[in-house]
């Protein structure tokens, strides 16, 4: 049985004059210990997906339809008590900005020990010992001293490690990390990624990594979902998606990277912008920006089909494969 | 004489330094130490003795991690900050100590594009007002029709639809705003553009649009760029030369191709190895140990010593000087100078 | 924010833009704000149309008959039907006098606030933009000014001028003196708020961008920073108008403001106060109610505006 199974998840926002759909029929599975990447540009609905999985959406957002089965139990139907037990305990979340997660007026130790004692029957000293062990696991030097420090006394990389340690405190089954390294420098990002990879592999913890950086997804995850305007448009093994993307948007995204073009030449840009939620085009949401769009694309939403090793939601995927741009994308 | 002049780089930065005083006001500088009250002020050493030059038509990129002084260099060159020491020359003229009036002719030549397109346009001005204002200011004798024509021409050249003119910035997306900001800088026909992380607030597909636009402007208008970024793949694509900064000091300056094919400074090597690769899933990333010092208490000697695997006693006491390498790059590292870097790596 | 729909649409009118804006929406949704606005507009309109509405002209001695003094309002026995709200001690029709008095109070309040705003905004802009020593100097001045309460400064100033020019001259120019003293006493409120917003705005990149384009400090302050600092100025202005009206009323009540011959709300309340124990309560009570309602609705509008524009700005 898979650890997490999301079926037809639809999330809406009740706005002032209309209700907009932020997620539209999202379905995916995650096996125990599997690492899944969610990529897409800003506004695609990546963070909303992460929040929904923990049932953390707050007004005006709400889960309209769908199931989120975590270890067989539907998160959408859980009462507050079950949810508290789920959050932090079995599922943990890491955010982009460490200063938002850490309370600036409490020491690292107070925050870690309180979290532990809230969920487990432990004495203060036992909790402290566990906190020290966890800090060691994330390579924090001299953890005993760090427990007495306040978040602002630590560097960005160190804070993000502590967030990871807190996420791991209660040995969760699944970690949802929303852009965990975006605020960090490349050298520190590389450290944190290595650390997360190592911890997930050795503890058999599932990981959902939300990011806009294809390089990060490529190095961290086994499977990838590509999102556009609230839908999953392509999913499959990360290697397949990076090396042989099928959806025109995924192709465009990869081809737009500077690495994919000879220095000094024009980059292969995608024209236009991601639509706002209130103005998602009919049919395939990507059609105004897609050079393969047909009349069918403008009227009907494409279903996900299995093609070339991945699931892809595009009407024209077969025609594309004979197109010469396609050959170029593969090269 | 005239020969020597044409040979000079367009922009020369000589031994530039910038410190920001942390303790402002008299009372804050008083500290209690060992039973005595002493006056002591701390300062951030944001830029330390940097020398760089950019020739006409070049795109000089400055890379480095957050807080290493990239933006400070950009703002110094743009005249938004005054240096604590050192000189900046533009077209053979010293510009860092010019009064506001003396700066006016240069304001047309040197323009700047900012990181955050959400903050760099005045929210209360329509696009037309924002674009016409600089033209009116610098060409006070231009007629209304001339101003309008100039603005329309620039708008078309950067892909800003002239029908946007009546709208306000909040009605546009980040990429569109960045286009408008670029258009604004181009209305005065500059020859040198300082771009401080112009694409890092944008999405991947939009980054490509804006980068293309900047490349086009470079070719069609013969622009010279000082391009600040932390994204090495953008540097490789856009830059002709690169300067790598660490804690306010230059580690390495080289032609882009040289830097990416044979990086020499230990920090440059670590930086290059840390970039997440798209296709290669077994990266051999050089792990940096140790803490990053703050620019408040700069260590004596090499700024990189606390994280460098090759640091020795000399590194701790003597700051390395930039030394010319056979392939034309400049590297500030004792290990490179002593040629012990590759020996250790091999051994 | 739909950015794809770039086709030229018919431009919506200014009013429908305001009506559909965030502010218009929250206004429609807030009954307190709507009622306050209606009451305020009624009071303001009635008072500014006083010469047309009022049955009598209280400034015209020919229309005043001392024999008519102290008639009670229409609903109390012993009243005269032509004086709906009764008459005051000098025989003036109270309804007409209140209309004229409210007009004077509002005028003094608004003009005094305009003066405060002019001084405070200029000083705040300069202090915030230039910074350094000048900033410290101006802000210390503001602190000193604030440490004397408005009433104290006003009482001293008005008492001295009254003594200097004599009561007759003073009464002639009372409006000007009141506006000047209330205007000068409260500028630091504006200066501080404006300085704080300028400090925040100054850090934004559009100001750097203007500097790189070579614009002078005057242009940057007035054309770029000031328009972006307006929301707190609006909020504080409402509160300040209410405060200025109260200050004026207090000063007039103390006999340092408008003379009884040109009554404002404050001097009306004051002149009626002497008769309150002789049973003529209405001369004080009715203008008092008008004053309270006026100040209350202005403050309620200010509260609403503060919540909409920025909940973090300027409380109190
Ligand atoms: N006005 C200031 N007052 C005090 N310190 C400052 C000021 N401006 C910059 N600094 C400090 O100078 C150093 C260099 O800053 P700078 O903004 O140039 O970094 P950067 O390389 O652009 O970083 P980022 O990528 O985060 O923008 C930093 O340590 C910063 O905190
Ligand atoms: N509180 C909210 N109210 C209305 N819309 C929201 C809210 N939060 C997010 N959205 C919208 O939902 C969409 C997806 O957002 P998000 O998941 O945060 O995107 P990202 O992929 O950048 O993480 C965006 O269009 C965003 O504007
Ligand atoms: S469905 Fe049509 S519009 Fe959408 S991506 Fe495929 S070809 Fe393009
Ligand atoms: S000078 Fe020394 S510490 Fe600095 S980079 Fe070279 S080897 Fe490392
Ligand atoms: Mg997000
Ligand atoms: Mg910067």
């Amino acid at each position: 049985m898979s650890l997490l199974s999301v079926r037809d998840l639809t999330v809406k926002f009740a706005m002032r004059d209309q209700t907009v759909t932020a997620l539209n029929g999202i379905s995916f599975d995650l096996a125990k210990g599997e690492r899944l990447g969610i990529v897409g540009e800003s506004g695609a609905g990546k963070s909303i997906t992460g929040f929904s999985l923990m049932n953390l959406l707050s007004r005006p957002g709400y889960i309209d339809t769908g199931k989120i089965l975590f270890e067989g139990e539907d998160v959408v139907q859980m009462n507050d008590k079950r949810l508290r037990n789920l959050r932090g305990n079995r599922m943990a979340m890491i955010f982009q900005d460490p200063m938002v997660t850490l309370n600036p007026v409490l020491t690292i130790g107070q925050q870690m020990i309180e979290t532990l004692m809230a969920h487990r029957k432990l004495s203060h000293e036992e909790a402290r010992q566990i906190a020290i062990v966890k800090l060691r696991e994330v390579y924090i030097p001299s953890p005993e001293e760090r427990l007495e420090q306040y978040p602002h006394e630590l560097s960005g990389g160190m804070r993000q490690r502590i967030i990871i340690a807190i996420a791991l405190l209660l040995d969760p089954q699944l970690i949802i990390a929303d852009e965990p390294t975006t605020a960090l420098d490349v050298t520190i990002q590389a450290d944190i990624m290595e650390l997360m990879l190592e911890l997930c592999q050795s503890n058999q913890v599932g990981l959902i990594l939300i990011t806009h950086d294809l390089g990060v997804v490529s190095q961290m995850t086994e499977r990838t979902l590509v999102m556009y305007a609230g839908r999953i448009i392509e999913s499959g093994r990360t290697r397949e998606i990076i090396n042989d993307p099928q959806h025109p948007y995924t192709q465009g995204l990869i081809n737009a990277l500077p690495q994919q073009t000879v220095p000094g030449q024009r980059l292969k840009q995608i024209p236009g912008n991601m639509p706002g939620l209130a103005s998602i085009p009919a049919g395939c949401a990507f059609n105004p920006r897609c050079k393969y769009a047909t009349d069918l694309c403008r009227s009907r939403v494409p279903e996900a089909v299995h093609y070339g090793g991945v699931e892809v939601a595009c009407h024209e995927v077969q025609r594309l494969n004979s197109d010469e741009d396609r050959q170029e994308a593969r090269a | 004489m005239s020969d020597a002049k044409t040979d000079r780089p367009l922009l020369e930065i000589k031994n530039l330094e910038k410190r920001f005083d942390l303790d402002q006001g008299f009372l804050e500088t008083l500290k209690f130490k060992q039973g005595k009250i002493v006056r002591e002020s701390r300062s951030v050493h944001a830029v330390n003795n940097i020398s760089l030059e950019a020739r006409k038509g070049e795109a000089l990129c400055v890379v480095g991690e957050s807080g290493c002084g990239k933006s400070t260099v950009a703002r110094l060159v743009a005249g938004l900050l005054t240096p604590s020491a050192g000189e900046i020359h533009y077209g053979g003229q010293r510009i860092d100590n010019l009064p506001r009036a003396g700066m006016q002719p240069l304001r047309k030549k040197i323009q700047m594009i900012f990181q955050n397109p959400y903050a760099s346009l005045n929210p209360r001005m329509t696009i037309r007002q924002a674009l016409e204002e600089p033209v009116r200011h610098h060409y006070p004798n231009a007629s209304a029709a001339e101003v309008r024509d100039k603005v329309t021409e620039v708008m078309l050249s950067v892909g800003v639809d002239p029908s946007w003119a009546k709208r306000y910035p909040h009605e546009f997306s980040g990429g569109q705003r960045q286009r408008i900001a670029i258009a604004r800088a181009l209305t005065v026909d500059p020859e040198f553009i300082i771009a401080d992380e112009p694409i890092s607030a944008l999405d991947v597909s939009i980054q490509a649009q804006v980068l293309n636009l900047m490349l086009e402007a470079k070719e069609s208008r013969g622009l010279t760029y000082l391009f600040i970024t932390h994204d090495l793949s953008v540097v490789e694509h856009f830059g002709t030369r690169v300067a790598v900064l660490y804690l306010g000091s230059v580690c390495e300056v080289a032609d882009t191709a040289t830097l990416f094919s044979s990086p020499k400074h230990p920090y440059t090597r670590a930086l290059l190895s840390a970039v997440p690769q798209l296709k290669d899933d077994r990266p051999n990333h050089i792990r940096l140990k140790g803490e990053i010092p703050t620019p408040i208490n700069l260590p004596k000697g090499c700024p990189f010593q606390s994280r460098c695997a090759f640091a020795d006693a000399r590194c701790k006491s003597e700051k390395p000087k930039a030394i010319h390498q056979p392939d034309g790059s400049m590297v500030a590292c004792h290990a490179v100078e002593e040629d012990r870097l590759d020996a250790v790596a091999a051994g | 924010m739909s950015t794809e729909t770039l086709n030229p649409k018919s431009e919506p009118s200014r009013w429908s833009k305001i009506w559909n804006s965030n502010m218009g929406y929250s206004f429609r949704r807030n009954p307190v704000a709507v009622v306050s606005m209606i009451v305020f507009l009624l009071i303001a309109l009635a008072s500014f149309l006083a010469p047309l509405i009022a049955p009598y002209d209280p400034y015209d001695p020919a229309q005043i008959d001392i024999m008519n003094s102290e008639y009670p309002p229409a609903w109390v026995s012993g009243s005269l039907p032509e004086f709906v709200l009764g008459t005051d001690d000098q025989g003036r029709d109270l309804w007409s006098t209140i209309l004229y008095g409210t007009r004077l109070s509002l005028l003094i309040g608004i003009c005094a606030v305009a003066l405060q705003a002019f001084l405070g905004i200029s000083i705040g802009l300069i202090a915030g933009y230039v910074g350094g020593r000048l900033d410290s100097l101006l802000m210390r001045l503001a602190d000193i000014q604030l440490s004397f309460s408005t009433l104290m400064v006003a009482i001293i100033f008005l008492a001295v001028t009254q003594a200097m020019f004599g009561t007759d001259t003073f009464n002639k120019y009372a409006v000007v003196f009141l506006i000047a003293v209330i205007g000068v006493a409260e500028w630091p409120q504006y200066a501080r708020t404006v300085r704080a917003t300028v400090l925040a705005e100054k850090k934004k990149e559009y100001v750097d961008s203007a500097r790189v384009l070579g614009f002078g400090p005057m242009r940057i302050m007035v054309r770029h920073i000031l328009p972006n600092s307006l929301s707190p100025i609006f909020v504080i202005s409402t509160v300040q108008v209410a405060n200025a009206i109260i200050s004026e009323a207090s000063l007039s009540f103390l006999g340092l403001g408008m003379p009884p011959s040109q009554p404002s709300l404050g001097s009306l309340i004051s002149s009626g106060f002497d008769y309150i124990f002789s049973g003529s309560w209405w001369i004080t009570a009715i203008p008092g109610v008008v004053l309270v309602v006026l100040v209350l609705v202005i403050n309620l509008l200010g509260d609403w505006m503060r919540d909409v524009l920025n909940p973090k700005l300027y409380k109190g």
Side-chain angles (χ1 to χ4, degrees), chain A residues 184-198:
Chain A
L184 304 174
D185 289 318
V186 264
T187 54
I188 298 163
Q189 163 173 299
D191 280 352
I192 300 280
M193 284 186 347
E194 211 166 282
L195 171 71
M196 282 178 60
L197 199 57
E198 184 188 308

Side-chain angles (χ1 to χ4, degrees), chain B residues 81-255:
Chain B
L81 294 172
T82 40
S84 310
E87 298 178 5
I88 301 170
H89 295 252
Y90 182 84
Q93 182 190 7
R94 183 162 176 196
I95 61 168
D96 57 273
N97 54 2
L98 285 180
R100 212 180 71 80
M103 216 33 207
Q104 281 299 317
L106 283 162
R107 290 296 185 196
K108 267 190 283 186
K109 295 186 181 161
I110 307 179
Q111 272 305 306
M112 185 157 176
I113 301 169
F114 296 86
Q115 172 167 9
N116 184 351
Y118 293 89
S120 62
L121 293 170
N122 184 343
R124 306 264 173 187
M125 275 182 152
T126 63
I127 306 309
R128 172 174 310 289
Q129 288 169 334
L131 293 180
E132 286 186 353
E133 193 187 23
V135 188
R136 290 234 166 83
H137 181 80
H138 284 286
Y139 304 94
N141 300 324
S143 70
E146 281 168 341
V147 172
R148 198 161 279 238
D149 287 349
K150 176 79 208 162
V151 166
T152 312
E153 176 228 305
V154 173
M155 281 172 113
L156 290 174
S157 77
V158 300
V160 172
D161 188 337
S163 70
W164 297 356
K166 271 195 201 149
R167 309 225 235 139
Y168 286 89
H170 72 90
E171 299 176 53
F172 297 97
S173 69
Q176 289 168 331
R177 283 185 217 202
Q178 201 60 299
R179 272 176 201 274
I180 295 165
I182 293 175
R184 189 164 190 238
L186 294 180
T187 50
V188 294
D189 290 321
E191 50 189 36
F192 188 85
I193 297 236
I194 304 158
D196 186 2
E197 310 238 15
I199 58 169
S200 49
L202 307 174
D203 271 324
V204 181
S205 69
I206 311 299
Q207 284 189 352
Q209 295 174 2
V210 173
L211 216 51
N212 279 350
L213 176 63
M214 293 183 66
L215 275 170
E216 262 156 40
K218 180 175 180 228
E219 285 160 19
S220 62
R221 294 168 181 261
L223 295 175
T224 308
Y225 282 104
L226 177 65
F227 192 97
I228 314 282
T229 179
H230 64 264
D231 188 340
L232 286 158
S233 57
V234 172
V235 173
E236 189 172 14
H237 187 79
F238 189 83
T240 53
R241 277 197 323 132
V242 195
V244 182
L245 244 56
Y246 186 81
L247 269 185
S249 302
V250 177
C251 300
E252 185 163 355
V253 186
D255 288 340

Side-chain angles (χ1 to χ4, degrees), chain C residues 17 40 76 80 95 109 124 127 188 243 288 295:
Chain C
K17 255 193 204 157
F40 176 74
V76 179
L80 275 188
W95 165 235
N243 286 349
V295 169

Side-chain angles (χ1 to χ4, degrees), chain A residues 46-47 178-179:
Chain A
K46 309 181 299 287
S47 307
D178 188 355
E179 309 261 7

Side-chain angles (χ1 to χ4, degrees), chain C residues 12 74 96 102 209-210 220 223 231 298 303:
Chain C
S96 309
T102 312
S209 163
I220 296 180
R223 189 79 185 83
S231 343
I298 297 178
D303 276 353

